[in-house]
Amino acid sequence: MSVSFAVFAVLNIGFVLLVSPLFMSLIKIVKARAQGRRGPRLLQTYYNLAKLLRKETIYSPVSSWVMRATPYVCLSMAVVAALFVPLLYIPEPVAGFGNVILFLYLLGLARFFTALSGLDAGSTFGGMSSSRDMSLAAVIEPTSIVVMAALAVVARSLNFLEIARNNAGMLFPASATMILIGISLFIILVVETGRIPVDNPETHLELTMVHEGMVLEQSGRNLAMMEYAGAIKQTLFIAIMVSVLMPFGPVTELSAAGVLFAMGLFVVKGSVVSVILGLFESSIAKMRFFSLPNLFIIAYFFSVLTIFIEVFA
């Protein structure tokens, strides 16, 4: 591993851990203001995570090692995935890192363990939510692969590091088809992070729970790790989206001033996406479970259209 990649790893992981709760709070504030409420404080998610870390962890008497291992698996997979998507500094590609397919598999492994933990607790809600999540995964994962394939066709690379390096310095998307990819990535962001209209992360209603039902039996430090892993995953999908639609910001040469500037720019760009996400959630109702494929088809359609344009135009 080169020195530049080691610096990238420290910077990227540290920055993702730092800003991920901020975007979670910002989305909640935007939703609250859109509904005429004051909403939480900007740092509320940090306070919530700190409070959970101080609380005792309690396990169901019927749970096994799966319940205990899942928070560590989910958080470690999210942190490793953070090595695949550059936010501040773009190093020279290193074998194995930055690969789009491997990135999806890392997140898929975390999803698999989350669903197992929902079943492992022996709770009715957990089993129901795991069943729903796996049904959604069977539809959304092929769509995610098609969206990433379209991105790879347009960017001529299967590596996020190479894609970001090729786009570095551009003010606007490299081509019009990148805008179509951006729309598909926004839908993937909504689905993969369990936002409205796919799921409601702030509800515990039996009829609507998907992700929340699977983590309902988690508590204390373990719940904090699950929440943190979800925030990191959301930040990574935001980073992929802004690297396509707002590629300016990340630096290719290491310098303190450049990295600090990139930090400020990413916070601004991530905040813009978070505000859009909050407004989008406030303006749409949760869809019926069996109507969700209609949303996935939009992402699938734009991605296939992009591939056709790139191949035949």
Side-chain angles (χ1 to χ4, degrees), residues 139-302:
V139 181
I140 190 58
E141 287 186 358
T143 307
S144 298
I145 291 173
V146 173
V147 172
M148 293 302 175
L151 175 62
V153 169
V154 175
R156 306 288 191 269
S157 175
L158 267 173
N159 191 296
F160 284 128
L161 300 180
E162 288 183 0
I163 294 172
R165 182 170 280 273
N166 293 338
N167 291 341
M170 293 183 183
L171 286 177
F172 303 104
S175 65
T177 48
M178 281 291 192
I179 297 175
L180 297 179
I181 295 293
I183 296 171
S184 299
L185 285 172
F186 183 77
I187 295 173
I188 297 297
L189 166 65
V190 169
V191 177
E192 288 285 352
T193 56
R195 315 296 312 189
I196 296 174
V198 177
D199 189 10
N200 187 349
E202 297 170 11
T203 186
H204 288 87
L205 296 176
E206 177 189 351
L207 293 177
T208 59
M209 280 195 300
V210 180
H211 178 76
E212 287 303 306
M214 293 188 292
V215 301
L216 204 57
E217 295 292 330
Q218 299 285 358
S219 60
R221 182 179 63 252
N222 288 359
L223 181 58
M225 287 192 284
M226 297 292 288
E227 297 287 343
Y228 217 154
I232 293 171
K233 181 179 178 181
Q234 177 178 276
T235 302
L236 295 180
F237 275 102
I238 288 176
I240 296 170
M241 192 174 160
V242 299
S243 73
V244 169
L245 297 179
M246 296 178 276
F248 52 91
V251 295
T252 54
E253 299 293 334
L254 267 178
S255 70
V259 171
L260 287 174
F261 185 65
M263 284 182 180
L265 271 180
F266 185 83
V267 170
V268 172
K269 293 188 292 185
S271 299
V272 169
V273 176
S274 300
V275 170
I276 293 172
L277 196 54
L279 293 175
F280 176 76
E281 285 194 65
S282 302
S283 60
I284 192 167
K286 187 179 180 307
M287 296 176 71
R288 292 177 63 243
F289 187 76
F290 292 107
S291 299
L292 290 176
N294 297 335
L295 180 65
F296 307 156
I297 286 173
I298 298 174
Y300 186 87
F301 170 75
F302 281 123

Side-chain angles (χ1 to χ4, degrees), residues 33-203:
R33 296 292 172 85
Q35 295 164 5
R37 296 184 288 113
R38 182 178 179 182
R41 293 172 291 181
L42 190 57
L43 301 181
Q44 187 62 50
T45 305
Y46 295 94
Y47 299 141
N48 292 345
L49 291 173
K51 182 179 68 177
L52 287 173
L53 287 173
R54 291 194 299 269
K55 286 187 175 292
E56 181 185 3
T57 302
I58 298 174
Y59 297 102
S60 164
V62 299
S63 64
S64 68
W65 64 270
V66 173
M67 177 68 79
R68 292 159 175 77
T70 295
Y72 295 95
V73 172
C74 290
L75 186 58
S76 58
M77 289 301 103
V79 170
V80 173
L83 293 173
F84 286 59
V85 184
L87 277 67
L88 309 174
Y89 165 59
I90 309 169
E92 291 291 340
V94 173
F97 289 98
N99 186 278
V100 171
I101 304 300
L102 187 52
F103 173 80
L104 293 176
Y105 271 112
L106 288 171
L107 299 184
L109 181 62
R111 179 196 289 269
F112 174 69
F113 266 85
T114 305
L116 277 185
S117 71
L119 295 169
D120 188 60
S123 160
T124 306
F125 290 137
M128 177 188 64
S129 298
S130 296
S131 172
R132 288 175 176 173
D133 191 64
M134 287 296 99
S135 299
L136 285 177
V139 181
I140 190 58
E141 287 186 358
T143 307
S144 298
I145 291 173
V146 173
V147 172
M148 293 302 175
L151 175 62
V153 169
V154 175
R156 306 288 191 269
S157 175
L158 267 173
N159 191 296
F160 284 128
L161 300 180
E162 288 183 0
I163 294 172
R165 182 170 280 273
N166 293 338
N167 291 341
M170 293 183 183
L171 286 177
F172 303 104
S175 65
T177 48
M178 281 291 192
I179 297 175
L180 297 179
I181 295 293
I183 296 171
S184 299
L185 285 172
F186 183 77
I187 295 173
I188 297 297
L189 166 65
V190 169
V191 177
E192 288 285 352
T193 56
R195 315 296 312 189
I196 296 174
V198 177
D199 189 10
N200 187 349
E202 297 170 11
T203 186

